Amino acid sequence: MLHRVNLASCLVLWITSCAITLAVDPNDYMARALQLMSETPLIDGHNDLPWQLRSQFNNQLNKVDLNTLANTHTNIPKIKDGRLGAQFWAAYVPCDTQYKDAVRQTLEQIDVIHRMCQKYPEIFMFASSSQDILKAFNMSKTASLIGVEGGHSLDSSLGTLRTMYQLGVRYLTLTHSCNTPWVDNWLVDTGSEPSEHNGLSSFGKQVIAEMNRLGMLIDLAHVSEEVMNQVLTLSKAPVIFSHSSAYAVCPHKRNVPDDVLRRVNETKGIVMVNFYNDYVTCSNTAKLSDVADHFDHIKKVAGADIIGFGGDYDGVPRLPEGLEDVSKVPNLVAELLRRGWTDEEVKAALGNNLLRVMSEVEKVRDSMSNEIPDDVPIPNEDVQNPCRTSFGYPSTSGSNGSAQSLSTLALLITLVLQAWITSTV
């Protein structure tokens, strides 16, 4: 009798095992990919849909239906098909706004992200912490976080940085493709722009410390290599590259060199791989397998624990065959599995690495809770320009001495030119 019971138990176990194997065949890489994505949130580091809302609709969200929007890489059906668990939406404004209306335009981008979440509450949940991401995932919603792309959006103000944090911003990309009065951008490494600060200025180092105190992720995509290394030394918290790839695979200065990858590993940060063809193959064309090569290289050099996804959808004009829009990301997950990545390595890259980094940044913030905000402003001489007043700074020429001086100089030059033209006629 006992023998029959044991035999029956073994038969049940065998049938159960076969059923599990049939449900997710280890050789059915897409089925395995979708299973893993149902267990761990896919967290993407950078998506420029908010900029598409501005450039196409001037942020008039009432005129847009994200269920049917067809001319972008991202819409609600694509998000669902792509199993997007969490997204850092980029609050990006161009470098042309620097010294002009960058702060206003950035606030409008932050606003449109909030309104997007409010308009589609069944799809998006606004998130500002690692726990919020998990909460949204458990509710089958896409956690929506904000990253400000470019230090020019601060107008060199720590007060603006703090205000943006209060509005929900959880990372700042230190530069876009322009130097600011306190940090050098990646174009310095190409020789097309001069270094103005040898990396970070003294005020730039204040920005790093204040971001640590606030609990804001420091994003090193777009900065010069000198800035990468300086920040990796200065920051008390792990850093991110929200949308950069491996320089050794594609030697573009927007990508991350191997020595920096190793330092990211040492400091427990993350590099979220960009899908833009120009950063994947250094050419106009690319395939999904080329993107997987970047994942493989970073894993080989610095381990699977520093890798994430940073597609740059809706911010680039060219994407690899097989990764044409947000819905295609499961194809890349399946390719990593086909290449021998373990389930744990894939889950780390999908979202666990970013959750770990964000949790550590939050711990550093909590450990600095007794430190007071830094309210020492950038030196006035570093930011003088005709569009900026100087209220609060010591001045012998009034509250807007620099602008008045420049206006006076312009007037004198005009008068001299007019007199010269008159005398030569």
Side-chain angles (χ1 to χ4, degrees), residues 185-340:
N185 82 101
W186 68 276
L187 289 171
V188 168
D189 292 338
T190 70
S192 62
E193 288 191 8
S195 171
E196 296 180 27
H197 314 290
N198 293 317
L200 289 166
S201 72
S202 177
F203 182 78
K205 294 172 184 177
Q206 287 177 244
V207 173
I208 299 306
E210 190 67 358
M211 290 178 72
N212 283 167
R213 191 193 67 83
L214 286 170
M216 187 181 287
L217 294 157
I218 300 167
D219 179 18
L220 299 181
H222 284 279
V223 302
S224 69
E225 190 173 342
E226 182 66 24
V227 174
M228 295 178 194
N229 281 298
Q230 288 178 359
V231 174
L232 285 164
T233 297
L234 288 169
S235 179
K236 296 179 180 179
V239 304
I240 70 169
F241 288 80
S242 67
H243 56 306
S244 296
S245 299
Y247 184 85
V249 180
C250 167
H252 193 292
K253 292 299 183 180
R254 267 285 282 106
N255 288 336
V256 188
D258 283 359
D259 61 318
V260 176
L261 290 176
R262 295 185 188 96
R263 292 200 66 190
V264 173
N265 171 273
E266 292 166 3
T267 53
K268 311 299 183 186
I270 186 171
V271 175
M272 307 178 87
V273 175
N274 193 312
F275 300 170
Y276 181 33
N277 290 357
D278 296 42
Y279 304 160
V280 172
T281 60
C282 291
S283 70
N284 289 338
T285 60
K287 304 184 296 295
L288 179 150
S289 60
D290 297 316
V291 178
D293 290 344
H294 284 264
F295 278 78
D296 279 345
H297 179 81
I298 296 171
K299 186 177 82 161
K300 178 181 177 181
V301 170
D305 289 341
I306 76 157
I307 305 174
F309 290 72
D312 210 357
Y313 283 114
D314 282 308
V316 296
R318 294 177 289 277
L319 287 159
E321 180 183 342
L323 286 171
E324 293 86 354
D325 60 53
V326 172
S327 72
K328 308 297 186 182
V329 178
N331 295 338
L332 178 56
V333 180
E335 173 63 12
L336 296 178
L337 290 167
R338 191 190 67 78
R339 292 182 176 213

Side-chain angles (χ1 to χ4, degrees), residues 67-263:
N67 289 292
T68 58
L69 183 64
N71 62 343
T72 55
H73 302 143
T74 313
N75 61 24
I76 287 174
K78 291 172 184 175
I79 285 171
K80 290 180 177 179
D81 289 344
R83 309 304 201 270
L84 184 61
Q87 181 65 66
F88 280 91
W89 303 106
Y92 159 77
V93 299
C95 283
D96 289 346
T97 64
Q98 183 164 217
Y99 309 123
K100 299 170 187 172
D101 56 353
V103 174
R104 173 184 64 81
Q105 291 211 32
T106 303
L107 291 175
E108 290 173 351
Q109 295 310 102
I110 293 170
D111 168 70
V112 81
I113 295 167
H114 278 285
R115 288 191 289 122
M116 187 173 73
C117 295
Q118 292 161 4
K119 183 173 180 178
Y120 304 97
E122 72 285 0
I123 303 298
F124 304 118
M125 186 189 109
F126 187 78
S128 60
S129 69
S130 55
Q131 287 303 309
D132 283 348
I133 294 174
L134 293 173
K135 179 179 178 182
F137 185 66
N138 289 332
M139 296 169 66
S140 298
K141 297 183 180 183
T142 298
S144 295
L145 303 99
I146 302 176
V148 166
E149 187 181 15
H152 61 283
S153 287
L154 301 183
D155 195 19
S156 302
S157 166
L158 295 175
T160 301
L161 175 70
R162 287 187 285 269
T163 300
M164 289 182 176
Y165 182 85
Q166 293 300 322
L167 293 173
V169 174
R170 286 302 176 266
Y171 79 60
L172 172 69
T173 315
L174 298 185
T175 67
H176 193 252
S177 297
C178 53
N179 292 341
T180 77
W182 47 274
V183 62
D184 290 337
N185 82 101
W186 68 276
L187 289 171
V188 168
D189 292 338
T190 70
S192 62
E193 288 191 8
S195 171
E196 296 180 27
H197 314 290
N198 293 317
L200 289 166
S201 72
S202 177
F203 182 78
K205 294 172 184 177
Q206 287 177 244
V207 173
I208 299 306
E210 190 67 358
M211 290 178 72
N212 283 167
R213 191 193 67 83
L214 286 170
M216 187 181 287
L217 294 157
I218 300 167
D219 179 18
L220 299 181
H222 284 279
V223 302
S224 69
E225 190 173 342
E226 182 66 24
V227 174
M228 295 178 194
N229 281 298
Q230 288 178 359
V231 174
L232 285 164
T233 297
L234 288 169
S235 179
K236 296 179 180 179
V239 304
I240 70 169
F241 288 80
S242 67
H243 56 306
S244 296
S245 299
Y247 184 85
V249 180
C250 167
H252 193 292
K253 292 299 183 180
R254 267 285 282 106
N255 288 336
V256 188
D258 283 359
D259 61 318
V260 176
L261 290 176
R262 295 185 188 96
R263 292 200 66 190

Side-chain angles (χ1 to χ4, degrees), residues 47-55 59 89-90 109 112-113:
N47 185 299
D48 278 298
L49 178 62
W51 179 250
Q52 295 301 322
L53 296 177
R54 175 180 283 277
S55 60
N59 283 351
W89 303 106
Q109 295 310 102
V112 81
I113 295 167

Side-chain angles (χ1 to χ4, degrees), residues 383-398:
V383 289
Q384 285 182 340
N385 67 78
C387 296
R388 186 186 180 101
T389 61
S390 56
F391 295 108
Y393 288 100
S395 174
T396 58
S397 55

